[in-house]
């Protein structure tokens, strides 16, 4: 409470201070405006009086043009008008000077130095000059150029009294005025030491001098010049402004303007006093009101504080009896707290009755899948632990089947998770309908289901059930008006001893299921220990691949490609090899499937392209130019968005042309996304690269897209070449493929040529290029560079002859 009161006091003081400060600022702004108005009026009146004398003389020149016939005529005219000027225009002295500063006319012969200086300035500028100077008294000095009839330039200089200016300024500002001079020459630091100059009456000079003496010594001229000074004497207040009369002179005179602001000062003080009184009254009323309200709130809060612990102690009768009466007119938050606590008490009392029921329901939720209603992973673990423990009493085999759908992700991605959930509900119903009551089926996660078979005589019964489920899920699943075709992959494992854990059984079934998927899906696989070995081998290779890329364990073996008609060497196919430091050579069939669709495959592919450019450079240094190297381009690398930029960079770094690199694509890569494939192939084609389709005839849909693709070479798979001798169908396929490809304007490469008979047959079929063990086995780079000179003579492969 004390903190709140303190805060209220501080806030009130701050607000009062801000209010008063704002009022002071407005008050000072009014004084600054008065200062600026004095300065503006002084400049206006000074310039008006100066211009008046100039206009008078110019008007007489126009009326009496003969006065400028010669300097003497001008002097005579001025002499005649001097009395008039003294009486009506406050002119004290007049001088007429020629261009050599000689006096033509003067009302007395003494010519002060400031007259000569003013005349010289007028002659230089050829325009009027006006300055306010102070000697024994202050006056305005005006110099005007006069052009005589003979062309000579004369200067008329007049000094005028400042009485008229000060009288006019007094009428416009209502301020007491005086002149102060020689401030800088006398090195005065305080306004109180300044001397008031004529023209002004002695009485007023004494009064103003006495007023200046009251100004504190620390008030300097610069302080008064900037914003003026407010002087308070007893009940009287004065605003003293100091205005430079003429900034153009070195030691200017200053106009002292004294305004009586006593009435304004009194109103200002009265206003601020009223503000403080109002603030004090407001604070007092607020504190009193706060105390009255706080006391009522304190009593009611004590009751609330005593009631709430009764809820934790479940003393509901005492809780309901201890209440404060509600106010019907003024309801506040504490009334709402009491009402809410009453509702809370009722709910807590009813919840005590339902807690046991809810606990049982939560246990049920924890053990069953909410979507399908099947037992979940928690229930599966409980059942398997119980079954494994019972194997000691009942030696019947325990069989676990893990089931996963092959294309469920496509359903989710294409139709949304809502359709995916409906699909899983129907799947769960279909599984229940094909199992016995004693069997346990659970949803393991996602689209994976685990079946635990009980009372099974032998594992073959589980295999029969698995075959039944595979067949059953080949039937379409209908959701609304849509029909989905899918397939399942199953893994089966069993045990009849207690030496396995729940995790072991599920892991074995999972390994067997993935073996089914690797085999194409839509089947079941029985787990064996060899699968674990393969999984461990798979993990080991995945780990070693990262080291192999960093340590450059991958090498290229190059297999020669020969033009069948001429026997000329046309290029090489680059075949990847992995030389493991411990395990020796690892075949591509073992590590390439593991690397597919991974970042490692992209890295290896880019290494291969760089290496192909290096191989071509080395061959060219051996005198073998114009050869080509065929490099495989994986599906993941072909989809990499950096592929085009990478190929451009390699062309920029290498002296070999893009036409010397042949990019090999498989049929699977080509048909995976035909629109993307065409776009990338055309971009690479524009750079100059050529394309070949590898293992032609082993894939699907190749004939449908072949005519659309910018392909240069078709490679016939070795399986068709090896079967030509024993199988007339293979021979006919090869012959038809060669004829079709050549008709499309492409070249044909026959892979796996191992006999002279095969080579001769291919020649008769007009096949373009051959490669295989009959010509040369794949050689590592170093071996190739050593043996190549002995294999080639004038570009033709030695011992290459089709004439047998």
């Amino acid at each position: 409470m004390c903190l709140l009161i303190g805060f209220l006091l501080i806030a009130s003081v701050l607000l009062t201070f801000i209010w008063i400060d704002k009022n002071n600022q407005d008050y000072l702004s009014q004084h600054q405006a008065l200062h600026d108005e004095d300065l503006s009026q002084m400049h206006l009146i000074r310039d008006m009086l100066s211009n008046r004398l100039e206009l008078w003389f110019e008007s007489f020149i126009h009326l009496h043009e003969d006065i400028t016939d010669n300097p003497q005529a001008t002097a005579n005219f001025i002499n005649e008008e001097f009395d008039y000027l003294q009486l009506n225009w406050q002119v004290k002295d007049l001088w007429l000077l020629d261009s050599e500063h000689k006096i033509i006319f003067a009302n007395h012969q003494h010519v002060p130095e400031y007259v000569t200086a003013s005349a010289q300035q007028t002659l230089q500028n050829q325009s009027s000059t006006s300055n306010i100077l102070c000697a024994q008294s202050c006056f305005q000095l005006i110099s005007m150029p006069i052009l005589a009839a003979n062309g000579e330039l004369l200067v008329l200089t007049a000094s005028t009294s400042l009485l008229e200016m000060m009288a006019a300024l007094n009428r416009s500002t209502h301020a007491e005025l005086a002149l102060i001079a020689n401030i800088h020459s006398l090195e005065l630091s305080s306004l109180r030491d300044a001397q008031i100059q004529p023209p002004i009456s002695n009485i007023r000079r004494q009064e103003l001098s006495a007023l200046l003496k009251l100004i504190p010594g620390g008030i300097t001229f610069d302080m008064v010049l900037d914003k003026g000074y407010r002087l308070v004497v007893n009940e009287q207040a004065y605003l003293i402004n100091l205005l430079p009369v003429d900034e153009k002179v070195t030691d200017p005179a200053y106009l002292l303007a004294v305004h009586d602001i006593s009435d304004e000062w009194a109103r200002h003080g009265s206003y601020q006093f009223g503000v403080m009184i109002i603030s004090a009254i407001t604070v007092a009323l607020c504190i009193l009101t706060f105390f009255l309200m706080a006391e009522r709130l304190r009593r009611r809060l004590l009751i609330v504080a005593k009631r709430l612990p009764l809820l934790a102690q479940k003393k509901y009768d005492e809780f309901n009896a201890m209440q404060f009466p509600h106010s019907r007119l003024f309801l506040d938050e504490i009334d709402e707290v009491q009402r809410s606590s009453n509702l809370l008490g009722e709910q807590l009392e009813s919840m005590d009755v339902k807690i046991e029921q809810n606990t049982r329901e939560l246990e049920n939720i924890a053990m069953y899948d909410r979507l399908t209603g099947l037992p979940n992973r928690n229930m599966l673990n409980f059942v398997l632990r119980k079954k494994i423990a019972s194997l000691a009493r009942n030696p019947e085999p325990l069989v676990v089947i893990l089931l996963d759908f092959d294309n469920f992700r496509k359903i989710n991605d294409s139709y949304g998770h809502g359709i995916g959930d409906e699909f899983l509900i129907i799947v769960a119903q279909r599984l229940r309908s094909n199992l016995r009551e004693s069997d346990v089926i659970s949803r393991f996660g996602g689209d994976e289901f685990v079946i635990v078979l009980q009372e099974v005589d032998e594992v073959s019964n589980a295999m029969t059930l698995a075959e039944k489920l595979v067949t059953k899920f080949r039937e379409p699943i209908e959701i609304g008006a849509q029909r989905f075709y899918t397939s399942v992959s199953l893994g089966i494992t069993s045990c009849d001893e207690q030496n396995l854990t729940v995790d072991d059984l599920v892991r074995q079934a999972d390994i067997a299921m993935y073996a089914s998927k690797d085999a194409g899906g839509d089947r079941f696989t029985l787990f064996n220990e060899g699968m674990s070995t393969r999984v461990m081998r798979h993990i080991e290779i995945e780990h070693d691949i990262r080291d192999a890329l960093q340590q450059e364990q991958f090498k290229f073996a190059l297999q020669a490609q020969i033009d069948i008609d001429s026997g000329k060497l046309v290029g090489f196919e680059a075949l990847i090899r992995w030389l493991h430091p411990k395990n020796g050579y690892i075949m591509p069939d073992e590590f390439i499937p593991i690397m597919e669709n991974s970042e490692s495959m992209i890295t290896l592919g880019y290494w291969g392209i760089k290496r192909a450019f290096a191989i071509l450079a080395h061959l060219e240094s051996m005198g073998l130019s114009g050869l080509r190297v065929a490099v495989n381009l994986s599906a993941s690398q072909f989809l990499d968005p950096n592929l085009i930029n990478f190929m451009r960079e390699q062309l920029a770094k290498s002296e070999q042309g893009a036409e010397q690199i042949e990019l090999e694509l498989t049929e699977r890569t080509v048909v995976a996304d035909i629109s993307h494939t065409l776009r990338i192939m055309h971009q690479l084609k524009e750079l100059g690269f050529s394309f070949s389709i590898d293992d032609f005839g082993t894939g699907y849909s190749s004939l449908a897209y072949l005519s659309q693709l910018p392909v240069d070479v078709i490679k016939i798979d070795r399986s068709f070449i090896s079967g030509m001798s024993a199988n007339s169908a293979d021979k006919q396929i090869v012959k038809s493929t060669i004829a079709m490809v050549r008709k499309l304007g492409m070249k044909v490469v026959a892979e796996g040529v191992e006999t002279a008979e095969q080579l001769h047959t291919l020649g008769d079929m007009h096949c373009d290029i051959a490669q295989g063990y009959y010509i040369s086995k794949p050689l590592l780079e170093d071996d190739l560079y050593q043996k190549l000179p002995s294999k080639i003579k004038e570009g033709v492969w030695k011992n290459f002859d089709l004439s047998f």
Side-chain angles (χ1 to χ4, degrees), residues 209-267:
S209 295
L211 188 64
L212 292 181
K213 294 297 182 182
L214 298 176
I215 298 176
I219 304 302
T220 64
F221 288 104
D222 292 337
M223 294 169 60
V224 180
L225 274 172
D226 186 23
K227 296 182 179 179
Y229 176 70
R230 186 176 64 240
L231 177 65
V232 180
V233 180
N234 297 328
E235 299 297 325
Q236 298 295 316
Y238 303 95
L239 177 63
I240 300 175
N241 290 330
L242 194 61
L243 312 173
V245 179
D246 192 348
E247 297 88 342
K248 295 180 288 184
V249 298
T250 305
D251 192 6
Y254 293 88
L255 182 67
L256 184 71
V258 180
H259 294 269
D260 188 347
I261 57 171
S262 300
D263 293 341
E264 296 177 12
W265 173 255
R267 287 195 298 272

Side-chain angles (χ1 to χ4, degrees), residues 539-705:
I539 296 172
E540 180 183 355
I541 288 177
E542 280 186 335
H543 180 269
D544 289 348
I545 282 173
R546 290 190 289 270
D547 294 337
L549 289 169
Q550 295 175 359
Q551 300 171 10
E552 297 185 358
Q553 297 174 12
F554 291 103
K555 307 292 181 184
F556 265 151
L558 301 170
Q559 189 170 32
Q561 294 179 336
I562 306 301
D563 184 271
I564 295 178
D565 288 338
S566 63
K568 186 177 180 180
L569 176 66
V570 296
F572 299 91
E573 180 180 5
L575 304 170
I576 194 71
R577 297 289 185 264
W578 182 4
L579 180 57
H580 195 279
K582 294 182 179 179
N583 302 328
Y585 277 107
I586 300 177
M587 298 305 294
D589 292 344
E590 187 173 2
F591 66 83
I592 290 296
I594 297 174
M595 294 179 68
E596 281 183 342
N597 302 319
S598 70
E599 189 68 27
S600 297
M601 192 66 192
I602 297 175
T603 304
L604 181 61
Y606 285 146
W607 170 88
I609 292 172
K610 290 180 181 179
R611 194 68 216 147
F613 276 104
I615 291 169
L616 287 169
H618 191 93
L619 291 173
E620 191 164 339
S621 68
M622 296 173 60
L624 299 173
S625 59
L627 298 179
R628 291 186 305 166
V629 173
V631 184
N632 183 265
L633 204 61
S634 67
S636 56
Q637 187 179 5
F638 196 73
L639 295 173
D640 184 42
N642 296 321
L643 175 62
I644 303 300
N645 290 334
F646 175 83
M647 301 301 275
R648 287 197 182 101
E649 291 175 2
Q650 298 310 306
L651 285 176
K653 295 177 182 178
S654 175
E655 295 181 359
Q656 280 64 47
E659 68 279 358
Q660 292 182 263
I661 300 293
E662 180 183 301
L663 303 175
E664 288 189 1
L665 302 175
T666 62
E667 291 186 57
R668 180 177 296 181
T669 301
V670 170
V671 301
D673 187 346
I674 188 63
S675 60
H676 177 79
T677 300
L678 284 170
R679 185 171 64 256
I680 298 300
M681 288 181 73
H682 281 300
Q683 292 181 22
L684 291 171
K685 196 73 174 175
E686 290 176 0
L687 296 177
F689 294 99
S690 59
F691 288 95
S692 62
I693 301 297
D694 195 16
D695 300 335
F696 184 78
T698 61
Y700 51 90
S701 302
S702 55
L703 294 177
Y705 297 114

Side-chain angles (χ1 to χ4, degrees), residues 404-409 447 486-489 517 520-523:
D404 182 90
F405 287 86
D406 296 326
N407 297 308
F408 179 71
R409 178 177 291 182
D447 61 327
T486 184
S487 60
V488 292
S489 295
K517 282 189 174 292
D522 193 27
R523 67 192 66 205

